[in-house]
Amino acid sequence: MARIILIETSTALCSVALAEDGRIVAYKESETPRAQASLTAPFVKDLLDARGLGVRDCDAVCVSKGPGSYTGLRVGVSTAKGLCFGAGIPLIAVGTLDTLVYQAADECLLPDAGSLRQAGDSAADGQHSPGFRYVVPMVDARRMEVYTAVFTPDGRQLTETRPQVIESLSQVIGTRQPSSTADPVAETPITIADLLAEGPVLFIGDGAGKCQEALAHPNAHFAQCCPKASAMLRPAFAAWNEKRFEDTAYFEPFYLKEFIATVPRRRLF
């Protein structure tokens, strides 16, 4: 079984994990603001040193490809590329929204999930979490936007990944993606109202909390959290087994929106 380094830096949480034989054997994370550049590479070194390993003892590096923070993604991808080039091992990339869906399965869809909040609740009730019909990961895109898409609990993406203005979430969130060329429901519009009418929906991610008021509904449940490297385990090993590797030289993160530089209000000169 492969040994894979997992790197997740797409949001405020910087996390790194080491996976062996299909399980996480070491993990480090930090919520220190804007610290990805100073912590990511040292985290990788710490995990490998603790197990007496070098990068060349690993079979691949998996990194979050976005969407997410421009700077965070650049740091994660640059670190991953450097490790892959130096050790001569392949690069794997996993979407941030996909990671959140697997994280939901790992932490929120279990009977003892304690981090869920139903719209209007002040605390989790400690009861068994509902069987969610859909999972809607939401990555904070700053201001009043989130990056989002609709998934089934087993990880199948139903709509395209897109930036969404919170005030328009009651409108069309996307069009259903075809599961096959003969899919009769392909390209049909999907709204959040449609999803909530069908049953419980989990909104998960660091952008979920700011959407809670706009999406208040008995079937709406929220898990405010950042994606973690440990949740990349299953998609990373699936990519490894299927030999779905990125071109290390030319791979770029999925920013979704162009980076816009701003001028500081206080000028030094």
Side-chain angles (χ1 to χ4, degrees):
M1 198 60 130
R3 178 184 291 124
I4 302 176
I5 299 170
L6 309 172
I7 299 174
E8 221 306 326
T9 58
S10 65
T11 63
L13 182 71
C14 174
S15 61
V16 173
L18 182 64
E20 296 178 359
D21 299 328
R23 63 188 182 91
I24 300 297
V25 297
Y27 178 79
K28 293 196 74 170
E29 69 173 42
S30 173
E31 295 185 27
T32 303
R34 297 179 293 277
Q36 287 95 334
S38 61
L39 293 179
T40 304
F43 275 3
V44 173
K45 185 177 186 303
D46 290 346
L47 295 187
L48 294 176
D49 287 349
R51 299 186 67 82
L53 301 170
V55 180
R56 294 181 184 276
D57 296 311
C58 299
D59 298 289
V61 178
C62 178
V63 67
S64 176
K65 68 180 179 181
S69 159
Y70 182 92
T71 301
L73 291 172
R74 293 298 295 180
V75 169
V77 170
S78 297
T79 303
K81 282 187 171 186
L83 295 171
C84 290
F85 273 124
I89 56 179
L91 175 68
I92 296 170
V94 173
T96 309
L97 300 186
D98 298 87
T99 298
L100 283 167
V101 174
Y102 281 96
Q103 193 163 311
D106 292 343
E107 301 179 4
C108 298
L109 298 183
L110 302 178
D112 61 347
S115 61
L116 297 182
R117 299 288 186 272
Q118 192 169 354
D121 289 352
S122 59
D125 59 13
Q127 302 299 315
H128 288 184
S129 58
F132 296 108
R133 188 170 182 86
Y134 298 102
V135 179
V136 182
M138 291 179 159
V139 173
D140 191 354
R142 302 294 179 90
R143 298 184 178 86
M144 295 305 292
E145 284 188 309
V146 292
Y147 300 123
T148 189
V150 179
F151 289 75
T152 59
D154 62 359
R156 183 165 64 92
Q157 186 167 348
L158 299 180
T159 66
E160 73 276 17
T161 300
R162 60 189 285 182
Q164 187 83 29
V165 177
I166 294 174
E167 293 180 352
S168 68
L169 281 171
S170 60
Q171 303 169 16
V172 174
I173 192 173
T175 54
R176 189 181 298 271
Q177 301 298 291
S179 58
S180 68
T181 55
D183 188 350
V185 298
E187 302 304 322
T188 57
I190 295 179
T191 69
I192 292 293
D194 295 334
L195 304 181
L196 293 172
E198 294 184 35
V201 178
L202 174 65
F203 300 93
I204 182 172
D206 68 336
K210 69 181 187 180
C211 300
Q212 189 164 345
E213 183 177 349
L215 299 176
H217 189 281
N219 281 333
H221 299 258
F222 299 85
Q224 177 75 11
C225 62
C226 292
K228 298 180 179 180
S230 55
M232 302 167 73
L233 175 69
R234 283 183 286 169
F237 273 91
W240 167 262
N241 291 331
E242 297 168 13
K243 305 303 179 187
R244 287 188 282 110
F245 304 136
E246 305 293 337
D247 185 319
T248 305
Y250 295 101
F251 175 75
E252 290 289 335
F254 177 42
Y255 296 118
L256 196 56
K257 291 197 302 184
E258 292 185 3
F259 174 72
I260 300 176
T262 59
V263 178
R265 292 182 180 180
R266 297 183 60 186
R267 302 180 67 88
L268 298 178
F269 303 99

